[in-house]
Amino acid sequence: MTGHLFQGDCAMKDSRSNKELIEEIEYLRQRVSRLESEKARLSRLLEKEGAVSEHISRQYLDLVHTMILELNTSGRVIQINKRGCEILGYDENEIIGKNWFDNFLPKYFGPEVKKVFHELMSGDLPGHPFFENPVLKKDGGERLIAWHNMILKDPSGKITGTLSSGLDITDDFYTSEALKKTREKYQM
């Protein structure tokens, strides 16, 4: 671009003709349009890759034979895998968004677990990696779950919730209790 700026004046002189300027503007518009199209294409590709990645991650979660549960800082269920739904007897859409402590723990045990959870979310406890507690099934029954827990944090270090892996140990517990009773019976 040739031209000069007059001292004290913000106007710039350009020796190009209007036709040349119009052609350059049209070229730039076409270039912007091509860039926007490419951006949209790349965005769709990333969304597709993200969806594929999310689908694969979901398959991994559904493959394991333990309950996988994600809670936000208020105790609402963000994610639960297929095994978790099977243990509880609910469809996933009946669980997501509900408060875990108010809906899926027996009334007699909920307050204790809820207290520990809130201490974790406030950062008052360094972590509670292992915990056992009963869960309440849709039919009113209970199952004993051995939990491995981790605190989730965002990139800035702020606590965002928990991720837990729960193994149903109900049958093992009752087998162990029956074995204890049998031993006690024959030792007396």
Side-chain angles (χ1 to χ4, degrees), residues 85-172:
C85 294
E86 290 169 357
I87 290 171
L88 296 172
Y90 288 94
D91 289 332
E92 182 180 19
N93 63 352
E94 295 176 286
I95 300 172
I96 301 298
K98 297 234 174 106
N99 185 288
W100 177 254
F101 308 101
D102 297 340
N103 293 284
F104 305 105
L105 296 182
K107 298 288 184 222
Y108 67 88
F109 210 82
E112 179 183 340
V113 178
K114 197 173 197 174
K115 180 179 181 275
V116 170
F117 178 80
H118 287 299
E119 289 172 355
L120 282 170
M121 292 302 95
S122 67
D124 292 340
L125 287 178
H128 223 291
F130 185 77
F131 200 81
E132 288 182 4
N133 66 272
V135 294
L136 189 60
K137 295 172 49 176
K138 186 175 186 176
D139 67 8
E142 295 180 10
R143 300 300 290 180
L144 183 60
I145 307 296
W147 296 101
H148 290 274
N149 306 295
M150 68 182 291
I151 295 172
L152 299 175
K153 296 180 180 181
D154 68 13
S156 70
K158 180 182 172 196
I159 295 172
T160 60
T162 60
L163 183 63
S164 304
S165 168
L167 181 61
D168 185 344
I169 60 169
T170 309
D171 297 335
D172 295 339

Coordinates of all heavy atoms in Angstrom, one line a residue, residues 85-172:
C85 N -26.2 -49.1 37.7 CA -27.6 -49.1 37.5 C -28.2 -50.5 37.8 O -29.2 -50.6 38.4 CB -27.9 -48.8 36.0 SG -27.5 -47.1 35.6
E86 N -27.4 -51.5 37.4 CA -27.9 -52.9 37.7 C -27.9 -53.2 39.2 O -28.9 -53.7 39.7 CB -26.9 -53.9 37.1 CG -27.0 -54.0 35.6 CD -25.8 -54.8 35.0 OE1 -24.9 -55.3 35.7 OE2 -25.8 -54.9 33.7
I87 N -26.9 -52.7 40.0 CA -26.9 -52.9 41.4 C -28.1 -52.2 42.1 O -28.8 -52.8 42.9 CB -25.6 -52.5 42.0 CG1 -24.4 -53.4 41.6 CG2 -25.7 -52.4 43.5 CD1 -23.0 -52.9 41.9
L88 N -28.3 -51.0 41.6 CA -29.4 -50.2 42.2 C -30.8 -50.6 41.7 O -31.8 -50.3 42.4 CB -29.1 -48.7 42.0 CG -27.9 -48.1 42.7 CD1 -27.6 -46.7 42.2 CD2 -28.0 -48.2 44.2
G89 N -30.9 -51.2 40.5 CA -32.2 -51.5 40.0 C -32.9 -50.4 39.3 O -34.1 -50.5 39.1
Y90 N -32.2 -49.4 38.9 CA -32.7 -48.2 38.2 C -32.2 -48.1 36.8 O -31.1 -48.6 36.5 CB -32.3 -46.9 38.9 CG -33.0 -46.6 40.2 CD1 -32.4 -47.0 41.4 CD2 -34.2 -46.0 40.3 CE1 -33.0 -46.8 42.7 CE2 -34.8 -45.7 41.6 CZ -34.2 -46.1 42.7 OH -34.7 -45.8 43.9
D91 N -32.9 -47.4 35.9 CA -32.4 -47.0 34.7 C -31.5 -45.7 34.9 O -31.7 -45.0 35.9 CB -33.5 -46.6 33.7 CG -34.3 -47.8 33.2 OD1 -33.7 -48.9 33.2 OD2 -35.5 -47.6 32.9
E92 N -30.5 -45.5 34.1 CA -29.6 -44.4 34.2 C -30.3 -43.1 34.4 O -30.0 -42.2 35.2 CB -28.6 -44.4 33.1 CG -27.6 -43.3 33.2 CD -26.6 -43.2 32.0 OE1 -26.9 -43.8 30.9 OE2 -25.6 -42.6 32.2
N93 N -31.4 -42.9 33.5 CA -32.1 -41.6 33.6 C -32.8 -41.3 34.9 O -33.3 -40.2 35.2 CB -33.0 -41.4 32.4 CG -34.1 -42.4 32.3 OD1 -34.1 -43.4 33.1 ND2 -35.0 -42.3 31.4
E94 N -33.0 -42.4 35.7 CA -33.7 -42.3 37.0 C -32.7 -41.9 38.1 O -33.1 -41.5 39.2 CB -34.4 -43.6 37.4 CG -35.5 -44.0 36.5 CD -36.1 -45.3 36.9 OE1 -35.4 -46.4 36.6 OE2 -37.2 -45.4 37.5
I95 N -31.4 -41.9 37.7 CA -30.3 -41.7 38.7 C -29.6 -40.3 38.5 O -29.4 -39.6 39.4 CB -29.3 -42.8 38.7 CG1 -30.0 -44.2 39.0 CG2 -28.1 -42.5 39.6 CD1 -29.1 -45.4 38.8
I96 N -29.3 -40.1 37.2 CA -28.6 -38.8 36.9 C -29.3 -37.6 37.4 O -30.5 -37.5 37.2 CB -28.3 -38.7 35.4 CG1 -27.5 -40.0 34.8 CG2 -27.6 -37.4 35.0 CD1 -26.1 -40.1 35.4
G97 N -28.6 -36.7 38.0 CA -29.1 -35.5 38.5 C -29.7 -35.5 39.9 O -30.0 -34.5 40.5
K98 N -29.9 -36.7 40.5 CA -30.5 -36.9 41.8 C -29.4 -36.8 42.9 O -28.2 -37.2 42.6 CB -31.2 -38.2 41.9 CG -32.4 -38.4 41.0 CD -33.6 -38.7 41.7 CE -34.8 -38.7 40.8 NZ -35.3 -40.0 40.4
N99 N -29.8 -36.4 44.1 CA -28.8 -36.3 45.2 C -28.6 -37.8 45.6 O -29.5 -38.5 46.0 CB -29.4 -35.5 46.3 CG -28.4 -35.3 47.4 OD1 -28.1 -36.3 48.2 ND2 -27.8 -34.2 47.5
W100 N -27.3 -38.2 45.6 CA -26.9 -39.5 45.9 C -27.3 -39.9 47.4 O -27.9 -41.0 47.7 CB -25.4 -39.7 45.8 CG -24.9 -41.0 46.2 CD1 -24.2 -41.4 47.3 CD2 -25.1 -42.3 45.4 NE1 -23.9 -42.7 47.3 CE2 -24.5 -43.3 46.2 CE3 -25.8 -42.6 44.3 CZ2 -24.4 -44.6 45.8 CZ3 -25.7 -43.9 43.8 CH2 -25.1 -44.9 44.6
F101 N -27.1 -39.0 48.3 CA -27.3 -39.3 49.7 C -28.8 -39.3 50.1 O -29.1 -40.1 51.0 CB -26.5 -38.2 50.6 CG -25.1 -38.1 50.2 CD1 -24.7 -37.1 49.3 CD2 -24.2 -39.1 50.5 CE1 -23.4 -37.0 48.9 CE2 -22.9 -39.0 50.1 CZ -22.5 -37.9 49.3
D102 N -29.6 -38.5 49.5 CA -31.0 -38.5 49.8 C -31.8 -39.6 49.1 O -32.9 -40.0 49.6 CB -31.6 -37.1 49.4 CG -31.0 -36.0 50.2 OD1 -30.4 -36.2 51.2 OD2 -31.1 -34.8 49.7
N103 N -31.3 -40.1 48.0 CA -32.0 -41.1 47.2 C -31.5 -42.5 47.2 O -32.3 -43.4 46.9 CB -32.1 -40.6 45.8 CG -33.0 -39.3 45.7 OD1 -34.2 -39.4 45.8 ND2 -32.3 -38.2 45.6
F104 N -30.2 -42.7 47.4 CA -29.6 -44.0 47.2 C -28.9 -44.6 48.4 O -28.2 -45.6 48.3 CB -28.7 -44.0 46.0 CG -29.4 -43.4 44.8 CD1 -29.2 -42.2 44.3 CD2 -30.4 -44.2 44.1 CE1 -29.9 -41.6 43.2 CE2 -31.1 -43.7 43.0 CZ -30.8 -42.4 42.5
L105 N -29.0 -44.0 49.5 CA -28.5 -44.5 50.8 C -29.6 -44.7 51.8 O -30.5 -43.9 51.8 CB -27.4 -43.5 51.4 CG -26.2 -43.3 50.5 CD1 -25.2 -42.4 51.3 CD2 -25.5 -44.6 50.2
P106 N -29.5 -45.8 52.6 CA -30.6 -46.0 53.6 C -30.6 -44.8 54.6 O -29.6 -44.2 54.8 CB -30.1 -47.2 54.4 CG -29.1 -47.9 53.4 CD -28.5 -46.8 52.6
K107 N -31.8 -44.4 55.0 CA -31.9 -43.2 55.9 C -31.0 -43.3 57.1 O -30.5 -42.3 57.6 CB -33.4 -43.1 56.3 CG -34.4 -42.9 55.2 CD -34.2 -41.5 54.6 CE -35.3 -41.3 53.6 NZ -34.8 -40.6 52.4
Y108 N -30.8 -44.5 57.7 CA -30.0 -44.6 58.9 C -28.5 -44.4 58.6 O -27.8 -44.1 59.6 CB -30.2 -46.0 59.5 CG -29.7 -47.2 58.7 CD1 -28.4 -47.6 58.9 CD2 -30.5 -47.8 57.8 CE1 -27.9 -48.7 58.1 CE2 -30.1 -48.9 57.1 CZ -28.7 -49.3 57.3 OH -28.3 -50.4 56.5
F109 N -28.1 -44.5 57.4 CA -26.7 -44.3 57.1 C -26.4 -43.1 56.3 O -25.2 -42.6 56.3 CB -26.2 -45.6 56.3 CG -24.8 -45.9 56.5 CD1 -24.4 -46.7 57.7 CD2 -23.8 -45.5 55.7 CE1 -23.1 -47.0 57.9 CE2 -22.5 -45.8 55.9 CZ -22.1 -46.6 57.0
G110 N -27.3 -42.5 55.7 CA -27.1 -41.3 54.8 C -26.4 -40.2 55.5 O -25.4 -39.6 54.9
P111 N -26.9 -39.7 56.7 CA -26.3 -38.5 57.3 C -24.8 -38.7 57.6 O -24.0 -37.8 57.4 CB -27.0 -38.4 58.6 CG -28.4 -39.0 58.3 CD -28.1 -40.1 57.4
E112 N -24.3 -39.9 58.0 CA -22.9 -40.2 58.3 C -22.1 -40.0 57.0 O -21.1 -39.3 57.0 CB -22.7 -41.6 58.9 CG -21.3 -41.9 59.2 CD -21.1 -43.3 59.7 OE1 -22.1 -43.9 60.2 OE2 -20.0 -43.8 59.6
V113 N -22.5 -40.6 55.9 CA -21.8 -40.5 54.7 C -21.8 -39.1 54.1 O -20.8 -38.6 53.6 CB -22.3 -41.6 53.6 CG1 -21.6 -41.5 52.3 CG2 -22.2 -43.0 54.2
K114 N -23.0 -38.5 54.2 CA -23.1 -37.1 53.7 C -22.1 -36.2 54.4 O -21.5 -35.3 53.8 CB -24.6 -36.6 53.9 CG -25.0 -35.5 53.1 CD -26.5 -35.2 53.3 CE -27.0 -34.3 52.2 NZ -28.4 -34.2 52.3
K115 N -22.0 -36.4 55.8 CA -21.1 -35.5 56.5 C -19.6 -35.7 56.0 O -18.9 -34.7 55.8 CB -21.2 -35.9 58.0 CG -20.3 -35.1 58.9 CD -20.5 -35.6 60.4 CE -19.6 -34.8 61.3 NZ -18.3 -35.3 61.5
V116 N -19.2 -36.9 55.8 CA -17.9 -37.2 55.3 C -17.7 -36.6 54.0 O -16.7 -35.9 53.7 CB -17.6 -38.7 55.3 CG1 -16.3 -39.0 54.6 CG2 -17.5 -39.3 56.7
F117 N -18.7 -36.7 53.1 CA -18.6 -36.1 51.8 C -18.4 -34.6 51.8 O -17.6 -34.1 51.1 CB -19.9 -36.5 51.0 CG -19.9 -35.9 49.6 CD1 -19.2 -36.5 48.6 CD2 -20.7 -34.7 49.3 CE1 -19.3 -36.0 47.3 CE2 -20.7 -34.2 48.1 CZ -20.0 -34.8 47.0
H118 N -19.2 -33.9 52.6 CA -19.1 -32.5 52.7 C -17.8 -32.0 53.3 O -17.3 -31.0 52.9 CB -20.3 -31.9 53.5 CG -21.6 -31.9 52.7 ND1 -21.8 -31.3 51.6 CD2 -22.8 -32.6 53.0 CE1 -23.0 -31.5 51.1 NE2 -23.6 -32.3 51.9
E119 N -17.2 -32.8 54.2 CA -15.9 -32.5 54.7 C -14.9 -32.6 53.6 O -13.9 -31.8 53.5 CB -15.5 -33.4 55.9 CG -16.3 -33.1 57.1 CD -16.1 -34.1 58.3 OE1 -15.4 -35.1 58.0 OE2 -16.7 -33.8 59.4
L120 N -15.0 -33.7 52.7 CA -14.1 -33.8 51.6 C -14.3 -32.7 50.6 O -13.3 -32.1 50.2 CB -14.5 -35.1 50.8 CG -14.0 -36.4 51.4 CD1 -14.6 -37.6 50.7 CD2 -12.5 -36.5 51.3
M121 N -15.5 -32.3 50.3 CA -15.7 -31.2 49.4 C -15.2 -29.8 49.9 O -14.8 -29.0 49.1 CB -17.2 -31.1 49.0 CG -17.8 -32.3 48.2 SD -16.9 -32.6 46.7 CE -15.8 -33.8 47.1
S122 N -15.2 -29.6 51.2 CA -14.7 -28.4 51.7 C -13.2 -28.4 51.8 O -12.6 -27.4 52.2 CB -15.4 -28.1 53.0 OG -15.0 -29.0 54.0
G123 N -12.6 -29.5 51.6 CA -11.1 -29.6 51.7 C -10.7 -29.9 53.2 O -9.5 -29.9 53.5
D124 N -11.6 -30.1 54.1 CA -11.3 -30.4 55.5 C -10.7 -31.7 55.7 O -10.0 -31.9 56.7 CB -12.5 -30.2 56.4 CG -13.0 -28.8 56.4 OD1 -12.2 -27.8 56.1 OD2 -14.2 -28.5 56.8
L125 N -11.0 -32.7 54.9 CA -10.4 -34.0 55.0 C -9.4 -34.2 53.8 O -9.7 -33.8 52.7 CB -11.4 -35.1 54.9 CG -12.3 -35.3 56.1 CD1 -13.4 -36.4 55.8 CD2 -11.5 -35.7 57.3
P126 N -8.2 -34.8 54.0 CA -7.3 -34.9 53.0 C -7.7 -35.9 51.9 O -7.3 -35.9 50.8 CB -6.0 -35.4 53.7 CG -6.5 -36.0 54.9 CD -7.7 -35.3 55.3
G127 N -8.6 -36.8 52.2 CA -9.1 -37.8 51.3 C -9.7 -39.0 52.0 O -9.3 -39.2 53.2
H128 N -10.5 -39.7 51.4 CA -11.1 -40.8 52.0 C -11.2 -41.9 51.0 O -12.2 -42.2 50.4 CB -12.6 -40.5 52.5 CG -12.9 -41.0 53.8 ND1 -13.1 -42.4 54.1 CD2 -13.1 -40.4 55.0 CE1 -13.3 -42.6 55.4 NE2 -13.4 -41.4 55.9
P129 N -10.0 -42.5 50.7 CA -9.9 -43.4 49.6 C -10.7 -44.7 49.7 O -11.1 -45.2 48.7 CB -8.4 -43.7 49.5 CG -7.8 -43.4 50.8 CD -8.7 -42.4 51.4
F130 N -11.0 -45.2 50.9 CA -11.7 -46.4 51.0 C -12.8 -46.2 52.0 O -12.6 -45.7 53.1 CB -10.8 -47.6 51.4 CG -11.5 -48.9 51.5 CD1 -11.8 -49.6 50.3 CD2 -11.9 -49.4 52.7 CE1 -12.4 -50.8 50.3 CE2 -12.5 -50.7 52.7 CZ -12.8 -51.3 51.5
F131 N -14.0 -46.7 51.7 CA -15.2 -46.6 52.6 C -16.1 -47.7 52.2 O -16.3 -48.1 51.0 CB -15.8 -45.2 52.3 CG -16.7 -44.7 53.4 CD1 -16.2 -44.1 54.5 CD2 -18.1 -44.9 53.3 CE1 -17.0 -43.6 55.5 CE2 -18.9 -44.4 54.3 CZ -18.3 -43.8 55.5
E132 N -16.8 -48.3 53.2 CA -17.8 -49.3 53.0 C -19.1 -48.8 53.5 O -19.2 -48.2 54.6 CB -17.5 -50.6 53.7 CG -16.4 -51.4 53.1 CD -16.1 -52.7 53.8 OE1 -16.9 -53.0 54.8 OE2 -15.2 -53.4 53.5
N133 N -20.2 -48.9 52.7 CA -21.5 -48.5 53.2 C -22.6 -49.2 52.3 O -22.4 -49.6 51.2 CB -21.7 -47.0 53.2 CG -21.7 -46.4 51.8 OD1 -20.6 -46.0 51.3 ND2 -22.9 -46.2 51.2
P134 N -23.8 -49.3 52.9 CA -24.9 -49.9 52.2 C -25.5 -48.9 51.2 O -25.4 -47.7 51.4 CB -25.9 -50.3 53.2 CG -25.6 -49.4 54.4 CD -24.1 -49.1 54.3
V135 N -26.0 -49.4 50.1 CA -26.8 -48.5 49.2 C -28.2 -49.1 49.1 O -28.4 -50.3 49.4 CB -26.2 -48.5 47.7 CG1 -24.8 -47.8 47.8 CG2 -26.1 -49.9 47.1
L136 N -29.1 -48.2 48.8 CA -30.5 -48.6 48.8 C -31.0 -48.8 47.3 O -30.8 -48.0 46.5 CB -31.4 -47.4 49.4 CG -32.8 -47.6 49.6 CD1 -33.0 -48.8 50.6 CD2 -33.5 -46.3 50.2
K137 N -31.5 -50.0 47.1 CA -32.0 -50.4 45.8 C -33.4 -49.9 45.6 O -34.1 -49.5 46.5 CB -32.0 -51.9 45.7 CG -30.6 -52.5 45.7 CD -30.6 -54.0 45.8 CE -31.5 -54.6 44.7 NZ -31.5 -56.1 44.7
K138 N -33.8 -49.8 44.3 CA -35.1 -49.4 43.9 C -36.3 -50.2 44.6 O -37.3 -49.6 45.0 CB -35.3 -49.4 42.4 CG -36.6 -48.8 41.9 CD -36.6 -48.8 40.4 CE -37.8 -48.1 39.8 NZ -37.8 -48.1 38.3
D139 N -36.0 -51.5 44.8 CA -37.0 -52.3 45.4 C -37.0 -52.3 47.0 O -37.7 -53.0 47.6 CB -36.9 -53.8 44.9 CG -35.6 -54.5 45.4 OD1 -34.8 -53.9 46.2 OD2 -35.3 -55.6 44.9
G140 N -36.1 -51.4 47.5 CA -36.1 -51.2 49.0 C -35.0 -52.1 49.6 O -34.7 -51.9 50.8
G141 N -34.4 -53.0 48.9 CA -33.3 -53.8 49.4 C -32.1 -53.0 49.5 O -32.0 -51.9 49.0
E142 N -31.1 -53.6 50.2 CA -29.8 -53.0 50.3 C -28.7 -53.9 49.9 O -28.8 -55.1 49.9 CB -29.5 -52.7 51.8 CG -30.5 -51.7 52.4 CD -30.3 -51.4 53.9 OE1 -29.2 -51.8 54.4 OE2 -31.1 -50.7 54.5
R143 N -27.6 -53.3 49.4 CA -26.4 -54.0 49.0 C -25.2 -53.3 49.7 O -25.2 -52.0 49.8 CB -26.2 -53.9 47.5 CG -27.3 -54.6 46.6 CD -27.5 -56.0 46.9 NE -26.4 -56.8 46.4 CZ -26.4 -58.2 46.5 NH1 -27.4 -58.8 47.1 NH2 -25.4 -58.8 46.1
L144 N -24.3 -54.0 50.2 CA -23.1 -53.5 50.8 C -22.0 -53.2 49.7 O -21.6 -54.1 49.0 CB -22.6 -54.4 51.9 CG -21.4 -53.9 52.7 CD1 -21.7 -52.6 53.4 CD2 -20.9 -55.0 53.7
I145 N -21.5 -52.0 49.7 CA -20.5 -51.6 48.6 C -19.2 -51.2 49.3 O -19.2 -50.4 50.3 CB -21.1 -50.4 47.8 CG1 -22.5 -50.8 47.2 CG2 -20.1 -50.1 46.7 CD1 -22.5 -51.9 46.3
A146 N -18.1 -51.7 48.8 CA -16.8 -51.3 49.2 C -16.3 -50.2 48.1 O -16.2 -50.6 47.0 CB -15.8 -52.5 49.2
W147 N -16.1 -49.0 48.6 CA -15.8 -47.9 47.7 C -14.4 -47.5 47.7 O -13.8 -47.5 48.8 CB -16.6 -46.6 48.1 CG -18.1 -46.7 48.0 CD1 -19.0 -47.0 49.0 CD2 -18.9 -46.6 46.8 NE1 -20.3 -47.0 48.5 CE2 -20.2 -46.8 47.2 CE3 -18.6 -46.4 45.5 CZ2 -21.3 -46.7 46.3 CZ3 -19.6 -46.3 44.6 CH2 -20.9 -46.5 44.9
H148 N -13.8 -47.2 46.6 CA -12.5 -46.6 46.4 C -12.9 -45.2 45.8 O -13.5 -45.1 44.8 CB -11.6 -47.4 45.5 CG -11.1 -48.6 46.1 ND1 -10.0 -48.7 47.0 CD2 -11.6 -49.9 46.1 CE1 -9.9 -49.9 47.4 NE2 -10.8 -50.7 46.9
N149 N -12.4 -44.1 46.5 CA -12.8 -42.8 46.1 C -11.6 -41.9 45.8 O -10.6 -42.1 46.3 CB -13.6 -42.1 47.3 CG -14.7 -43.0 47.8 OD1 -15.7 -43.2 47.0 ND2 -14.6 -43.5 49.0
M150 N -11.9 -41.0 44.9 CA -10.9 -39.9 44.6 C -11.6 -38.6 44.4 O -12.7 -38.5 44.0 CB -10.0 -40.3 43.4 CG -10.7 -40.2 42.1 SD -9.7 -40.7 40.7 CE -8.6 -39.3 40.6
I151 N -10.9 -37.6 44.9 CA -11.5 -36.2 44.7 C -11.1 -35.7 43.3 O -10.0 -35.9 42.9 CB -10.9 -35.3 45.8 CG1 -11.3 -35.8 47.2 CG2 -11.3 -33.9 45.6 CD1 -10.7 -35.0 48.3
L152 N -12.1 -35.1 42.7 CA -11.8 -34.5 41.3 C -11.6 -33.0 41.5 O -12.3 -32.4 42.3 CB -13.0 -34.8 40.4 CG -13.4 -36.2 40.2 CD1 -14.7 -36.3 39.4 CD2 -12.3 -36.9 39.4
K153 N -10.6 -32.5 40.7 CA -10.3 -31.1 40.8 C -10.2 -30.6 39.3 O -9.8 -31.3 38.4 CB -9.0 -30.9 41.5 CG -9.0 -31.3 42.9 CD -7.7 -31.0 43.6 CE -7.8 -31.4 45.1 NZ -6.5 -31.2 45.8
D154 N -10.5 -29.3 39.2 CA -10.4 -28.6 37.9 C -8.9 -28.2 37.7 O -8.1 -28.4 38.7 CB -11.3 -27.5 37.7 CG -11.1 -26.3 38.6 OD1 -10.0 -26.2 39.2 OD2 -12.0 -25.4 38.7
P155 N -8.5 -27.7 36.6 CA -7.1 -27.3 36.3 C -6.5 -26.3 37.3 O -5.3 -26.3 37.6 CB -7.1 -26.8 34.9 CG -8.2 -27.4 34.3 CD -9.3 -27.6 35.3
S156 N -7.4 -25.5 38.0 CA -6.9 -24.5 38.9 C -6.8 -25.1 40.3 O -6.4 -24.5 41.2 CB -7.8 -23.3 39.0 OG -9.1 -23.7 39.6
G157 N -7.2 -26.4 40.5 CA -7.1 -27.1 41.8 C -8.3 -27.0 42.6 O -8.4 -27.5 43.7
K158 N -9.4 -26.4 42.1 CA -10.7 -26.3 42.8 C -11.4 -27.7 42.8 O -11.5 -28.3 41.7 CB -11.6 -25.3 42.2 CG -12.9 -25.1 42.8 CD -13.8 -24.1 42.1 CE -15.2 -24.1 42.7 NZ -16.1 -23.5 41.8
I159 N -11.9 -28.1 43.9 CA -12.6 -29.4 44.0 C -13.9 -29.3 43.2 O -14.7 -28.4 43.4 CB -12.8 -29.8 45.5 CG1 -11.5 -30.0 46.2 CG2 -13.7 -31.0 45.6 CD1 -11.6 -30.3 47.7
T160 N -14.1 -30.3 42.4 CA -15.3 -30.3 41.5 C -16.3 -31.5 41.9 O -17.4 -31.5 41.4 CB -15.0 -30.4 40.0 OG1 -14.2 -31.6 39.8 CG2 -14.2 -29.1 39.6
G161 N -15.8 -32.5 42.6 CA -16.6 -33.6 43.0 C -15.8 -34.8 43.3 O -14.6 -34.7 43.7
T162 N -16.4 -36.0 43.2 CA -15.7 -37.2 43.5 C -16.0 -38.2 42.3 O -17.0 -38.2 41.6 CB -16.2 -37.9 44.8 OG1 -17.6 -38.2 44.7 CG2 -15.9 -37.0 46.0
L163 N -15.0 -39.1 42.2 CA -15.2 -40.3 41.3 C -14.9 -41.5 42.2 O -13.9 -41.6 42.9 CB -14.1 -40.2 40.2 CG -14.3 -41.4 39.2 CD1 -15.6 -41.3 38.4 CD2 -13.1 -41.3 38.2
S164 N -15.9 -42.4 42.1 CA -15.8 -43.6 43.0 C -16.0 -44.9 42.2 O -16.8 -44.9 41.3 CB -16.9 -43.5 44.1 OG -16.8 -42.3 44.8
S165 N -15.3 -45.9 42.7 CA -15.5 -47.2 42.1 C -16.0 -48.1 43.3 O -15.4 -48.2 44.3 CB -14.1 -47.8 41.7 OG -14.2 -49.1 41.4
G166 N -17.2 -48.7 43.1 CA -17.8 -49.5 44.2 C -18.0 -51.0 43.8 O -18.6 -51.3 42.8
L167 N -17.5 -51.8 44.7 CA -17.6 -53.3 44.5 C -18.7 -53.8 45.4 O -18.6 -53.5 46.6 CB -16.2 -54.0 44.8 CG -16.2 -55.5 44.6 CD1 -16.5 -55.9 43.2 CD2 -14.8 -56.0 45.0
D168 N -19.6 -54.5 44.9 CA -20.7 -55.1 45.7 C -20.1 -56.3 46.5 O -19.8 -57.3 45.9 CB -21.8 -55.6 44.8 CG -23.0 -56.1 45.5 OD1 -22.9 -56.4 46.7 OD2 -24.1 -56.2 44.9
I169 N -20.0 -56.1 47.8 CA -19.4 -57.2 48.6 C -20.5 -57.8 49.5 O -20.2 -58.5 50.5 CB -18.3 -56.6 49.5 CG1 -18.8 -55.5 50.4 CG2 -17.1 -56.2 48.6 CD1 -17.7 -55.0 51.5
T170 N -21.8 -57.6 49.2 CA -22.9 -58.1 50.0 C -22.7 -59.6 50.2 O -22.8 -60.1 51.3 CB -24.2 -57.8 49.4 OG1 -24.2 -56.4 49.1 CG2 -25.4 -58.2 50.3
D171 N -22.6 -60.4 49.1 CA -22.6 -61.8 49.2 C -21.3 -62.3 50.0 O -21.4 -63.2 50.9 CB -22.6 -62.5 47.9 CG -23.9 -62.2 47.1 OD1 -24.9 -61.9 47.8 OD2 -23.9 -62.2 45.9
D172 N -20.2 -61.6 49.8 CA -19.0 -61.9 50.6 C -19.2 -61.7 52.1 O -18.7 -62.4 52.9 CB -17.8 -61.1 50.1 CG -17.4 -61.5 48.6 OD1 -17.8 -62.6 48.2 OD2 -16.8 -60.6 48.0

